[in-house]
Amino acid sequence: TAITITEQPVSVSVPVGYSFTLRCRAQGRTSLQYQWFCQYQSDCRLIPGATKQDLAITAEQTQLYTCRVNDLHRNAVFSDWVKVEVHQCVARGLPPRLWQGEPVIVLNPREQRVEVGQPLQLQCAAMGLPAPSYQWYRNGNLLEQQKRKKLWITHTKVSDSGTYLCCASNSHGEHWTNAVDVHVGGGEILPPPEHLQLFHLVFVSATGKIALLVGNNRYQHHPNLMAPVRDVFELRHLLEHLGFQVVSLLD
């Protein structure tokens, strides 16, 4: 083709107010021109002045972006559409100064009780540069079809009961959500020893020094702290430099 995109922009998941850059690179037989577009809900519009390979963005709301590349002969191609997901709930204290784009869990799934045959939905969310991919587990076993932020089972069975958690990962690393119990039908929720068994399965390959950091901010009878999330991440990087494998949990 007359124009080939050599570097596609990538989706990101960031806190509101965070500044970053989307990149697009292309090759052609003549000089090339770039123009960025964004889409919010059903409205797709040209971004005035966005005519360079790099698009600087300060995150305000979740939107889709694409870049049009054209040459002097009216040939044109569009880059992939990418999603800039903006998390409004984590503006204070994030991202920490040392954040390199590794996944940060900002929404953990919640314990569920459902009747047999009823739908089950578990939800999580993570920030990351690039945007994290997701993989759900039940009782330490990978669920092949559950690779999105939302785990959805249309008609539950008793066998769907168990302890669930999700791994968010990107090129910088991975983080796990909290483990939650799902109970379908009658009976009792899994006892605490099941939690221990699950974490043994998840972290069975861990060797050497392990540090667990928990940043709590949602106290029921105490004012919110200033920046526990930022503190967790600064401590995490310090401990990693000291040779620890670090597991960071929020709230």
Side-chain angles (χ1 to χ4, degrees), residues 46-73:
L46 177 149
I47 304 175
T51 57
K52 297 182 179 180
Q53 295 173 318
D54 294 342
L55 176 65
I57 297 175
T58 298
E60 296 180 355
Q61 59 188 1
T62 297
Q63 294 187 117
L64 300 175
Y65 291 84
T66 187
C67 184
R68 184 190 67 203
V69 185
N70 62 274
D71 62 16
L72 301 180
H73 301 298

Side-chain angles (χ1 to χ4, degrees), residues 114-223:
V114 297
E115 298 296 327
V116 173
Q118 296 298 309
L120 168 66
Q121 177 177 287
L122 296 175
Q123 185 173 356
C124 70
M127 298 189 306
L129 290 165
S133 57
Y134 297 87
Q135 177 61 65
W136 287 89
Y137 294 78
R138 182 181 67 241
N139 296 335
N141 298 312
L142 183 146
L143 300 174
E144 287 285 353
Q145 306 302 319
Q146 303 292 351
K147 297 180 180 292
R148 299 184 178 183
K149 288 186 294 184
K150 292 183 179 180
L151 177 147
W152 178 259
I153 299 175
T154 306
H155 302 288
T156 55
K157 307 180 294 294
V158 173
S159 59
D160 292 319
S161 297
T163 303
Y164 288 74
L165 82 171
C166 186
C167 177
S169 62
N170 64 12
S171 56
H172 297 288
E174 63 182 32
H175 267 181
W176 298 79
T177 66
N178 295 341
V180 296
D181 290 326
V182 171
H183 178 73
V184 181
E188 297 296 328
I189 292 178
L190 291 175
E194 293 290 337
H195 288 279
L196 299 178
Q197 180 184 13
L198 172 65
F199 282 109
H200 172 73
L201 289 170
V202 171
F203 299 111
V204 68
S205 61
T207 59
K209 300 180 290 186
I210 303 174
L212 172 64
L213 298 177
V214 181
N216 286 324
N217 193 40
R218 299 177 185 174
Y219 289 98
Q220 186 174 4
H221 301 294
H222 191 283

